[in-house]
Amino acid sequence: MKKWGILTVCLMLAGSMLAGCGDKNKEGASTADNGSNQANAKTIVLGTSADFPPYEFHKMIDGKDQIVGFDIDIAKEIAKDMGANLEVKDMDFKALLGELSSGRVDFVISGMTPDENRKKEVDFSNNYYKAEQAVVVREKDKDKYKTMQSLEGVSFGIQTGSIQEDIAKTIPNAKITGLGKINDIIMQLNSGRVDASIMEKPVAEAFLKNVKGLAIADAVPDYQEDGYAIGVKKGNQEMVDQINKTLDRLNTEKKIDQFVSEASDLAAKK
Ligand code: ARG
């Protein structure tokens, strides 16, 4: 019975953003065309957790599973400005900082909040975007969760290693199930194995467009969001400067807002 529940959710989302169904921890790599695919150009490797529409997600385009989203658009611009080819490595969110420190990826763009703990481990660019948090529940339970107090003792599906884990830990008696990919959280919510989750509002909205039966609750987590930034290996100031230059250019050209709206449209498309 359980298996069928999961399969149904996978099927419901087939072709949209759950391309990872069934092969959870598989790490995927793909080469993205950033318009500078030259034979002799160097390749820079992006680390991301592609479970986060509209930031980074899987989408079938022309019959091919591709990693897209506005973080990926930004990564392509960075590679272009460096005259490099871009390779995208998809992994669980919690693996990203380790991969960066060990040099297996050159930079991380993954809707990542540059919080104090992470700043000890890696360096960050300037912030490039900002979003609020949202509590996601089953639609039929929406009225139960109007305040943060009403979430006390509730079971949460939370992405391991995310700031949402810290937020959930502040809720008295919350039972937290840590999961590698947000797709799995959505499935567990849908099948009733957890009762709530916390994620960035644009991400919640993107999933809700494609998944029936879920809703954003009125309860709003009390979290001082300080935006998203791009991570690089500690001490690599050259890469930070390079990335900030590209972000400045994209801001001046109003490109980031354009990427966000294009990626949101793409995430909503069946
Ligand atoms: N902003 C949150 C954090 O930095 C969540 C990011 C999750 N990103 C992802 N691609 N799943 O912890």
Side-chain angles (χ1 to χ4, degrees), residues 135-145 189-190 195-196 208 211-218:
V135 175
V136 182
V137 296
R138 282 181 295 283
E139 204 162 27
K140 63 177 171 53
D141 295 339
K142 186 176 182 309
D143 289 341
K144 285 198 224 163
Y145 303 120
L189 249 178
N190 235 313
D195 291 324
L208 262 47
V211 188
K212 294 230 158 11
L214 299 180
I216 294 177
D218 289 344

Side-chain angles (χ1 to χ4, degrees), residues 48-52 55-56 93 96 110-114 118 133 159 161-164 182 200 225 228:
T48 194
S49 174
D51 60 347
F52 209 59
Y55 298 73
E56 47 266 335
F93 188 75
L96 289 169
S110 203
M112 188 177 274
T113 311
R118 291 173 181 160
Q133 304 297 319
Q159 184 158 49
S162 67
I163 53 146
Q164 284 77 15
I182 297 186
E200 268 85 356
E225 180 68 65
Y228 306 114

